[in-house]
Amino acid sequence: MSGRDPDRRRVLLDAADRVILAQGPEVSMAAIAAEAGITKPILYRHFGDKSGLYQALADRHVRTVIAQLRPELAAPGADLRGRARRTIGVYLDLISANRNLYRFLFHRASSEDPRIRSHMTALVRGLGEELGGLLVAERVVREPTKAQVLGHAFVGMVQATCDWWLEHPEVDRAEVVEGLVDVVAAALGPRSAVASGSRGGSRGAAVSPRSGTASHAAGRT
């Protein structure tokens, strides 16, 4: 079933995006099918079942968010706070501009279907593992286990805080970003404040300015 024409699948996912964005996370599957000009059984048939549709939407959007965060993570010539600030800011902007899709995936779909909940958890966990690996590779954290703990902690912290922020639009965006950056910097200790280039920009330096990899915690979606 999932081997059907990828162009047709893309058109159906575009239709789902439009309806979710317009009607909110509680949109019915019938409304998505109607937007696509087909019946609900045919919609499911293209993805195997409802879970397949949820997973296709999750892959489309969560992976897109991660792809947009990576350039900020890898940006040269910036210290930890600068990289973290930009990356977390990008994440907040992405989810606030697409809040209905975010709520559909992280709340509606995940609560309805254990398989999609496991899939979303795996995506977020993979991001934490990647961040932990970067912390070790750049020698911001020397112990691999500690780096994994911090990587998952940063990802979870940013996701939970941004989820809360969506429910409190009166809270200034900059205040949320700076609060998260403060926690990341404090957790990594004094070495994280070393400016870019102070040790020649070497990835092998124990106090590498690329400690800003902690900023990748903004991707949980």
Side-chain angles (χ1 to χ4, degrees):
M1 300 279 184
S2 60
R4 285 177 176 268
D5 182 359
D7 289 336
R8 180 58 174 160
R9 284 168 58 88
R10 177 181 53 78
V11 169
L12 296 178
L13 291 174
D14 287 345
D17 285 350
R18 289 194 300 271
V19 176
I20 295 168
L21 286 169
Q23 298 186 22
E26 299 306 318
V27 63
S28 69
M29 295 297 106
I32 293 175
E35 176 69 20
I38 57 178
T39 63
K40 190 163 63 172
I42 293 176
L43 174 66
Y44 292 157
R45 192 178 306 151
H46 280 276
F47 298 95
D49 56 13
K50 183 192 291 187
S51 181
L53 172 61
Y54 286 163
Q55 183 169 321
L57 285 167
D59 286 340
R60 174 183 243 202
H61 294 291
V62 176
R63 295 186 193 283
T64 295
V65 167
I66 292 173
Q68 292 188 53
L69 295 178
R70 281 189 174 127
E72 300 299 333
L73 169 66
D79 63 9
L80 167 70
R81 294 191 70 91
R83 293 169 75 183
R85 184 179 294 111
R86 286 196 305 272
T87 308
I88 294 171
V90 167
Y91 180 67
L92 261 67
D93 291 343
L94 286 170
I95 66 171
S96 62
N98 300 279
R99 63 184 63 203
N100 282 344
L101 280 167
Y102 176 86
R103 287 169 172 154
F104 180 88
L105 293 172
F106 279 91
H107 299 288
R108 160 85 181 276
S110 295
S111 65
E112 282 187 7
D113 191 329
R115 287 177 293 175
I116 192 61
R117 182 168 60 250
S118 296
H119 184 66
M120 297 293 287
T121 298
L123 290 174
V124 173
R125 183 175 297 159
L127 185 57
E129 290 172 356
E130 180 178 345
L131 175 54
L134 286 168
L135 291 174
V136 171
E138 298 190 2
R139 301 201 179 181
V140 178
V141 178
R142 293 184 177 276
E143 302 84 1
T145 299
K146 181 178 180 181
Q148 285 297 315
V149 170
L150 289 174
H152 286 85
F154 293 155
V155 169
M157 172 187 71
V158 172
Q159 182 185 350
T161 302
C162 292
D163 198 44
W164 168 84
W165 178 64
L166 289 180
E167 302 300 327
H168 295 275
E170 74 279 4
V171 178
D172 184 66
R173 171 190 177 281
E175 186 176 358
V176 175
V177 172
E178 289 305 313
L180 290 169
V181 170
D182 285 346
V183 175
V184 170
L188 292 178
R191 290 182 302 173
S192 65
V194 176
S196 176
S198 63
R199 292 292 295 272
S202 170
R203 288 178 62 87
V207 288
S208 166
R210 293 178 66 82
S211 56
T213 47
S215 64
H216 196 38
R220 31 207 324 252
T221 68

